[in-house]
Amino acid sequence: MLWMLLLAVWPSQSTNMLLAYGPMPQLDESLAAAEQKRIAVIDRAKKTGVCIFSKDGNGGGSGVVISPQGHAITNFHVIQSCGSFMKCSMADGVLYDAVIVGIDPVGDVAMIQLLGRNDFPYSELADSDQVRQGDMCFAVGNPFLLATDFQPTVSWGIVSGTHRYQYPAGTLLEYTDCIQTDAAINPGNSGGPLFSSAGKIIGINGRGSFEKRGRVNVGVGYAISSNQVRHFVDHLKSGRILDHATADFTVTTDASGRVRVDNILEASIAYRAGVRIDDELIEFAGRQVSTVNQFKNVLGIYPKGFRVSATFRKSKQGGELAESRTLKVFIELSGVHDQRELIEMVAGKMKTQPSVPEIPIPQPKQDQKLDTSMFLSREGFANYRFNRVHLERVWEKFAGRPTDEVSADLSAWRLICRDEDDKEVMVVLNDQQSGYRSESVTVVLDPDRESLQQLVPEGSGGLLLALQQWRKLMLNGPRKIGDSIYVGSLPATTFGEADQGQANEKKQIMVEQLTTIADGMEFRWLFETSTDPAMTPISGNMVAMELIPEPDAVPCQVFFSNYRRDRGVPYPGTLIYRLGDGPAAKLTIERIELLEVDGGE
Amino acid sequence: MAVNKVSTNQLGVIRNDVHFVKRRSIRFAIQVWGVFGVVGLIASSVFAQGNVAQESNQSKRAVVSMTQAKVVKINGAGGFQGLESYQTGCLISDDGLVLTSWSYVLDADAVKVTLNDGRKYDAKLVGYVPQIEIALLKIEDQGLPHFNLDKAKIAKAGQRILALSNLFRVATGDEPVSVQRGVVSAVSKLSARQGATASVYQGDVLLIDAITNNPGASGGVIVDRQGRLLGMIGKELKDAELGTWINFALPIEVINPYVQKILDGEVVVEAETTRKPTEPMTEKLLGLYLVPNVVNNTPPFVDRVDTDSVAAKAGLQADDLVIKLNDGLTRSVKDFSEQLGYIDRDARIEITVRRDNKFLNFVLER
């Protein structure tokens, strides 16, 4: 009897515990804090995710906003059948209109712009080279098109591999240097972001390995690295259809495991610089190369037109390597495709197929008017409107006036210069008959002779033609002198240290490029911009120009510096020119005289 | 101001002494400007992670890196009809013993093992255990990073794991194999089948919530978050009842005694299962006769094929070398006979042979 009394008065806690399933486990404080942090990071990141729907509701995918103006990155294969305009939902519950901006079909990347706001939540593109196997990561997107409530799906995992290679379908959709993850990537996740545990974009999800289990995740997804996307961002903004890079040489592994050149185009810059078959490739674009896969990986992340370095160990006759002879060259990467070929391939892929909608398209809350002025069609462009916008922006920043405004004063220019030996050089620039006079050389352009015969002064590759066009550009603006387009931004360091006084090897200088086709020749104008392509340019000055008189010709490069502005018009104080990678010659401009030239008889 | 009229042919300054009248002139002072001076403004906010999360990334990187050095890529036989020619293995001694899955991949004259750093070796088969389908290979080198099986840990349900394997052969040469993250969901008896036949091993396995069992993954490693070996990734098997693919690993405590047996030379070859059919298949029923078993490991060449027999109709010929009988490797006439004894007389059989340096597949149905 006594024991029943004892039981009755036993401390109630233990009775409660006996009634429950035993003592509740306490979550360690640091774990609870980590969990809260993860929740906060995900909450912020998912707000920048985008669910993309095509107009007819056929399929869909994901994307991520990377600027407050609404620029968003996605996969090319997500938007290829969407047409020029599409609908995008974000986690705030709003369905936005979006317009196509630029496409990179080879690398499977596309840029669109969401419309209607200047303050979109956005995420930053991180440095994907810092990512390691084992790092935690998460994907945000719309797998299986579940986001009918506009809330994207989040899946968590780790980085399973880095610098992976996935074969293309034909020549498109090649994934080089990509990130592999076991975070669940399923159909619908394509185009969406892969975030680091800190909430920065390390990749754009787009592919996976599938086999016997069908097209559902089996723990192997692939994301285009954010560094590859960063190389293309400005080019995508230009509204063009982009091409990937090829190096004009191919490599193979020899019997001793070394990477050697097995084929090279004689018309290429590399060949002209002295690269030959059997030379060993040891560095490309700043990366050490010890396998062919590494070379393919690093080549695949660059757009056509980028310039990169390549280092070779020269082989002696008979294939033995001379250890001490290394050759470093700067190569402008040409395109994988012929421009025509690329346009046709893309046009074929982008035909919208009429079909029955598979999912109900979420309806916008209000009847939003579509701003059709955001799209301008032009052959060879995904959206020409953006190209015009950037062309105007770059020109106006530099020249201080819009592209359709011509300078009031159309006089000829006379440049009084001193060369490096302090001897006088005079350059007169006119519309057609420019002239150059130094102590030893006097040349004048003859408009009746072919330009290609007049690449004078001798050894400059066409300095006079280049400067003649330069003056025309300065007076008339890019749209009046020929067909001009905005290309995008490029790193400038690989143009070489033309001015020895500049200690800018360490700084990652970028330039924005405009290209003009005039008189059958290609002129490139390069304007300084900041190191971070997302920021506005610093001075916007034209730091260099290039004349390519005919395809595959060695370019004539001219570098402008020491700018002064006179009545808002920028004039350079120093001019450095060279032919390709040859020695540079410097001209210090003491003064520029505007010459009254009457119409004449 | 007087202006000289000049025709466009007379650029006087260049050709002769006709002077142009200056309207304006602009003088420049010679100054060296740092035109390329860009103010580097990268406002990078280092996102402060919680201590645990930060440690977690750092320590995982270290564990992954350390473990990768012990995992190897194996290339061998196969590469046709959905049978991949690659799998994964791991080093278990500093002089090059490699633990892996016992499979057709190893039945090649040249099995190649590639280390994490890209070094390639020819591998020799030391021994194999059909009961649990493991094999030991040997490569010749010293001082190799390896798992110490004695220090391996026994896993329990709830154990967080990392799985390393070369699934889908994503990695080649000096590229590191793939890493996945998961949890041991349960330790349970395996009830699986391989094709139509029950799997040989029906004992305890680690069931994992990550999709570890993919092409090329078998032989890969399951480690804990400190890098201690917990198990070896098994083959691609389906659950016997549901037909769904199972993600499992052989626990290290099951593997260890057999490894010891192989090293001691006591390799047990007979498959100890109780599933012998009451009426097994025979050579006579198939019309397929192998050469007489005169030496210990007589290679299983076909001696003759009865005309109009099942074997003849399928396409088998004398002098074919039998490589596989269903999913089992046949290394000798003895292997073939024994395995035949486990097949029901009415069952459908798949035989793989080598004929004139080609691998051929045949289906025999009575």
Side-chain angles (χ1 to χ4, degrees), chain A residues 37 130 133 135-136 160 164 180 182 212-213 218 409 414 426 433 437 528 562-563 591 594 596, chain B residues 8 11 13 23-24 26 33 35 48 57 61 68 176-181 213-214 236 245:
Chain A
K37 201 100 203 180
Q130 301 302 315
Q133 278 187 320
D135 284 358
M136 293 187 285
S160 300
R164 298 300 206 199
Q180 179 192 350
D182 68 353
K212 61 174 77 42
R213 291 169 166 100
V218 290
D409 190 335
R414 176 165 64 198
M426 186 181 305
Q433 283 186 294
R437 184 179 77 184
E528 178 192 46
N562 293 329
Y563 271 94
R591 60 187 187 281
L594 304 184
E596 179 80 42
Chain B
T8 51
L11 290 171
V13 155
R23 271 252 316 265
R24 300 194 288 277
I26 301 146
W33 285 8
V35 175
N57 256 5
R61 286 182 177 192
Q68 285 284 13
V177 300
S178 305
V179 184
Q180 291 166 292
R181 134 197 176 278
N213 295 43
N214 271 308
E236 292 177 275
W245 296 98

Side-chain angles (χ1 to χ4, degrees), chain A residues 248-415:
Chain A
D248 288 332
F249 63 86
T250 57
V251 294
T252 188
T253 316
D254 72 6
S256 55
R258 296 190 143 133
V259 179
R260 306 253 199 151
V261 176
D262 68 341
N263 235 317
I264 178 166
L265 280 182
E266 286 187 18
S268 67
I269 295 169
Y271 191 87
R272 276 202 297 261
V275 179
R276 296 290 179 273
I277 292 184
D278 271 350
D279 286 352
E280 184 190 357
L281 178 66
I282 53 181
E283 174 262 334
F284 192 81
R287 256 199 236 181
Q288 248 190 328
V289 170
S290 50
T291 65
V292 174
N293 271 3
Q294 281 172 3
F295 173 69
K296 278 162 80 166
N297 261 350
V298 70
L299 186 59
I301 63 174
Y302 289 105
K304 161 185 165 189
F306 251 59
R307 282 169 215 244
V308 298
S309 62
T311 308
F312 298 85
R313 223 178 260 143
K314 295 289 299 168
S315 74
K316 283 195 216 145
Q317 297 291 340
E320 281 174 33
L321 290 175
E323 293 295 320
S324 55
R325 275 195 66 209
T326 59
L327 171 68
K328 183 162 179 172
V329 302
F330 287 103
I331 303 175
E332 180 187 317
L333 299 169
S334 32
V336 175
H337 300 89
D338 176 64
Q339 186 64 6
R340 180 86 271 154
E341 195 191 339
L342 187 63
I343 294 174
E344 275 165 23
M345 225 186 290
V346 167
K349 292 230 172 287
M350 289 185 78
K351 278 200 186 62
T352 39
Q353 293 120 7
S355 58
V356 178
E358 287 175 12
I359 50 146
I361 311 161
Q363 292 304 316
K365 286 195 180 133
Q366 312 149 321
D367 209 6
Q368 295 158 333
K369 225 181 97 187
L370 186 63
D371 185 2
T372 50
S373 72
M374 293 299 283
F375 177 76
L376 229 80
S377 174
R378 180 174 155 173
E379 206 199 2
F381 289 83
N383 187 343
Y384 179 66
R385 181 202 170 260
F386 287 97
N387 202 278
R388 268 289 285 277
V389 165
H390 288 290
L391 185 84
E392 303 274 341
R393 170 183 59 80
V394 169
W395 178 251
E396 199 162 332
K397 171 89 188 184
F398 169 62
R401 58 177 207 269
T403 59
D404 53 5
E405 203 183 288
V406 169
S407 170
D409 190 335
L410 294 176
S411 315
W413 289 4
R414 176 165 64 198
L415 281 63

